[in-house]
Amino acid sequence: MDTTPTVILGAGIIGVSTAYYLSEHQDPSSIHIVESAPEMFSSASGYAGGFLARDWHVPATAELGILSFEEHRLLAYKFGGREKWGYSGILAVGYEAPSEGVSGKKKRGDDWLRDGTSRADAAPTSSPDLTVEEAKHAKNPPWLRRRDGDRVEVVAEEGTTAQVDPLLLCRFLLGECVNRGVEIHQPARAVSLEKDSEGKMVGLVIASASSSPSGSDGQSSEETITVPCSRIIITAGAWSGRVFKNLFPGSSKDAIAVKSLAGHSVVFKSPRWYRELESKGCHTVFTTSEDFAPEIFARLGGGIYFAGLNSADIPLPEVAGSVKPHVEAIELLKKTAGDIMGSEEPGKGCDLEVVREGLCFRPVTPWGLPIISRVPDEVLGDGLGTRSGSQGGVYVATGHGPWGISLSLGTGKVLAEMVQGRQLSADVGALGLRVSANGEA
């Protein structure tokens, strides 16, 4: 069994998925996860919608999409995912209100996130529109407010879309890793590297908050430890570029070209969505409004996730979870949700109960594809080297944009195979770093 000391920087869904698959072929005690946030899963991994698609992906991620969709299905079958993290098949539909005239032009799979268009534009197929009368049956979300002259269109073939509650899935994966013996350092941060006499990476210095205050001012100090480390895997989401640059200050500028895109969300309870209806099927609705493109997910357990309001103008905080949702964005989501799925009874007003409000930061690359790759030693800078083959290396997986949850398990599996030198289960050849000959990104 592999015992190469490995450190994963970032405990989001990509990080814990990678640790999970690594630990199937490696001594778990040789795997360390470092997470800087005081609260686990306090960004996209805990506040995303949890939409899973088998074949909504662009060619560069098509194989990965299929692999990941199957891994989600197998994991749920093996461990009771329906009960533990809300895994369920869904019927995905597009909804158009009577006054709308939305273009049917197809866009790149992540354009919806940047431009405010609907993710349903990435769907490979669609079926004829459903009239109000037809939609009274199973294809109609019981919580959707229907109007004369509106349109509902099924946008995915049966069995090609599903959903999870990503926070519950992350907690499950983390629990499995801990039970196997993976070491968790949280809250903690990577400080510096240690090298051997040949300049090869052999250790990582980790700083964590001390449990006891230092000095008369009562401020907490940091304690540092050094863990053996021949392999580093950076899975810090939108923070991946910062983590890389801090750890490799001599690296080329913006070697990990990933930026953040903020997204607000609200989880509601509706009197028109309750446990007894779950046996008839869950629905995802993609639609448009005057201001943005709402995405609505009716989850097992009675919650309805409402999102789609995204912004590239909200700065990425230093630590995940340290910024509260913006009041004006949440109010817009609430108003739009009331229009789309509020009570139809005159004078009753909005009868939706707010369960949770969220703000998360998704990692995106300028070219719209994730990065799943080993970082060449020459990019690390300062003459730093790593051991060859599966005995060492610096790896990165980030930039998944709107597809982070959908591609999570496939990414973790392929990345673990890449790190350990095993045959890859999906072609990710187009998902490498984009670095020029002089080391610039």
Side-chain angles (χ1 to χ4, degrees):
M1 177 173 278
D2 185 4
T3 59
T4 307
T6 305
V7 177
I8 298 171
L9 303 178
I13 194 165
I14 303 296
V16 294
S17 295
T18 302
Y20 175 84
Y21 287 104
L22 280 173
S23 65
E24 292 187 330
H25 298 270
Q26 180 172 341
D27 179 1
S29 67
S30 68
I31 303 170
H32 297 254
I33 300 177
V34 179
E35 172 56 49
S36 62
E39 180 183 353
M40 285 288 200
F41 316 122
S42 53
S43 190
S45 296
Y47 287 91
F51 178 67
L52 311 177
R54 187 180 190 276
D55 53 5
W56 289 35
H57 307 282
V58 295
T61 56
E63 285 193 19
L64 184 64
I66 294 172
L67 171 68
S68 197
F69 191 81
E70 289 304 306
E71 288 297 311
H72 276 287
R73 182 183 63 81
L74 292 172
L75 190 76
Y77 177 79
K78 182 177 181 179
F79 292 104
R82 182 177 178 88
E83 294 76 24
K84 291 180 179 178
W85 59 86
Y87 175 88
S88 67
I90 55 175
L91 182 66
V93 302
Y95 174 72
E96 185 177 323
S99 61
E100 294 175 359
V102 180
S103 169
K105 180 182 178 182
K106 296 294 181 181
K107 294 179 176 287
R108 191 176 66 188
D110 62 339
D111 279 346
W112 70 274
L113 191 68
R114 292 182 175 84
D115 302 337
T117 54
S118 174
R119 193 203 304 243
D121 288 343
T125 60
S126 62
S127 67
D129 298 342
L130 303 174
T131 65
V132 173
E133 193 63 33
E134 291 171 330
K136 287 180 180 178
H137 303 290
K139 291 183 174 60
N140 185 47
W143 42 265
L144 179 65
R145 185 176 181 179
R146 296 301 306 272
R147 298 170 173 84
D148 289 335
D150 64 7
R151 297 172 58 205
V152 170
E153 177 188 35
V154 178
V155 296
E157 293 183 358
E158 185 176 356
T160 63
T161 53
Q163 69 174 344
V164 298
D165 183 324
L167 178 59
L168 298 181
L169 175 57
C170 286
R171 288 174 175 170
F172 169 80
L173 291 169
L174 179 64
E176 285 295 300
C177 291
V178 171
N179 290 339
R180 292 176 181 182
V182 173
E183 297 283 344
I184 310 296
H185 307 267
Q186 183 259 343
R189 60 188 180 89
V191 175
S192 61
L193 298 167
E194 291 196 347
K195 301 181 285 187
D196 63 15
S197 59
E198 298 179 348
K200 304 291 187 183
M201 181 177 67
V202 294
L204 178 68
V205 180
I206 299 171
S208 58
S210 172
S211 59
S212 58
S214 65
S216 58
D217 59 1
Q219 296 296 314
S220 296
S221 63
E222 284 190 328
E223 296 179 345
T224 61
I225 61 170
T226 301
V227 297
C229 176
S230 297
R231 301 188 297 217
I232 286 179
I233 304 172
I234 299 176
T235 56
W239 288 265
S240 294
R242 287 185 187 175
V243 170
F244 182 85
K245 191 62 180 177
N246 289 339
L247 200 54
F248 304 97
S251 62
S252 56
K253 181 181 179 182
D254 296 330
I256 309 300
V258 62
K259 300 186 183 301
S260 68
L261 195 64
H264 283 86
S265 63
V266 179
V267 177
F268 295 98
K269 287 277 190 180
S270 168
R272 289 162 295 283
W273 178 243
Y274 43 89
R275 191 171 299 277
E276 287 74 17
L277 293 175
E278 292 174 1
S279 61
K280 298 181 180 180
C282 298
H283 294 78
T284 290
V285 173
F286 302 101
T287 185
T288 57
S289 70
E290 182 178 348
D291 302 288
F292 65 103
E295 297 190 342
I296 315 166
F297 305 91
R299 292 173 169 173
L300 297 179
I304 300 179
Y305 176 94
F306 195 99
L309 184 58
N310 307 301
S311 172
D313 297 327
I314 301 177
L316 183 69
E318 286 300 314
V319 179
S322 60
V323 178
K324 294 182 178 180
H326 293 197
V327 173
E328 62 274 16
I330 295 298
E331 290 304 313
L332 179 57
L333 287 172
K334 291 178 181 178
K335 177 183 181 302
T336 308
D339 293 340
I340 294 175
M341 54 183 195
S343 173
E344 298 181 18
E345 298 181 26
K348 191 168 185 178
C350 183
D351 57 353
L352 304 175
E353 174 190 349
V354 175
V355 177
R356 188 177 73 161
E357 301 171 354
L359 169 61
C360 70
F361 295 85
R362 297 180 180 91
V364 294
T365 62
W367 54 92
L369 294 174
I371 302 168
I372 305 174
S373 176
R374 181 169 181 161
V375 180
D377 282 5
E378 57 267 25
V379 176
L380 304 177
D382 295 330
L384 179 67
T386 61
R387 294 175 181 171
S388 61
S390 63
Q391 295 303 304
V394 176
Y395 299 82
V396 62
T398 186
H400 291 71
W403 300 108
I405 307 302
S406 189
L407 297 177
S408 60
L409 296 188
T411 296
K413 183 179 180 69
V414 169
L415 186 55
E417 293 165 344
M418 184 184 296
V419 168
Q420 294 172 334
R422 297 184 283 118
Q423 183 176 352
L424 304 188
S425 297
D427 180 6
V428 293
L431 308 182
L433 285 177
R434 299 199 176 186
V435 180
S436 64
N438 64 1
E440 295 294 322

